[in-house]
Amino acid sequence: MKQTQALRSIFSSAFTGSRFVTACLAMATLALAFFLMPASTTSAKKPDPPPPCPVLPAGATTTVLLFPFVTNQAGFDTGMTIANTSLDTVGTTPQTGTCTISYFGNTTGGGAAPAAQTTQAVPAGSSLIFTLSNGGNLGVAATPGFQGYIMVTCNFQYAHGFTFISDLGAQRLATSYLALVVPASGRNPCGEALSQ
């Protein structure tokens, strides 16, 4: 209550009488000068608008996802989920398809990255859920000791991925991110904008 009274006192003394009138006239003069200012005499060329994004070719039914960093080394593990969101409320035709998981990096001790693996079919409205250390549903095998990045090619549109990296048991440290949707050859180079 005292703070409110103090603020009222400051504002009422600052904006009374001639000071208030002077402040109002100054603001009105600036506004009028701004609106009456002549247009620039230089003829700066406006930038060209970006080209329109091309329409996806008929039959384009894959989504490529990039998980830019995953690890199951140094006491950390990565969990991932890939949702098949082709079942929705906006009239999308539901699609079912497999996903091929490709690994780029190495395993503990400098070993080669695991071979690519293909999942069982992911139904529309379902999710593929797995960790590097234990594998997961729909036939995803474990890839213990791997660190690097993963690209996943799903044979359905509207795949979306989420990753969670933490110390084992998520006791002290964790981070997460959304997978990047990568434009595949012949697909929309403008990236995803809710219309893929």
Side-chain angles (χ1 to χ4, degrees), residues 3-164:
Q3 292 173 340
T4 305
Q5 290 172 347
L7 286 174
R8 283 184 189 153
S9 170
I10 291 169
F11 283 111
S12 65
S13 65
F15 295 109
T16 58
S18 64
R19 282 187 273 180
F20 180 74
V21 172
T22 304
C24 288
L25 286 174
M27 287 189 283
T29 303
L30 285 173
L32 186 59
F34 177 78
F35 288 110
L36 296 178
M37 189 182 310
S40 175
T41 57
T42 61
S43 58
K45 184 179 183 255
K46 290 183 180 179
D48 293 331
C53 292
V55 177
L56 289 174
T61 58
T62 62
T63 306
V64 178
L65 300 175
L66 169 63
F67 295 88
F69 180 74
V70 297
T71 187
N72 183 226
Q73 293 183 6
F76 289 91
D77 198 8
T78 303
M80 286 165 274
T81 182
I82 298 169
N84 178 347
T85 66
S86 66
L87 181 64
D88 58 32
T89 60
V90 295
T92 304
T93 301
Q95 303 164 35
T96 297
T98 61
C99 293
T100 300
I101 306 168
S102 300
Y103 301 87
F104 300 89
N106 55 48
T107 55
T108 306
Q117 58 177 308
T118 301
T119 69
Q120 297 166 8
V122 182
S126 296
S127 295
L128 179 63
I129 303 168
F130 61 100
T131 63
L132 293 178
S133 61
N134 294 313
N137 67 344
L138 302 173
V140 178
T143 54
F146 174 72
Q147 179 170 289
Y149 66 94
I150 292 176
M151 293 192 78
V152 180
T153 303
C154 294
N155 294 312
F156 50 86
Q157 290 177 305
Y158 313 114
H160 295 280
F162 177 79
T163 301
F164 184 79

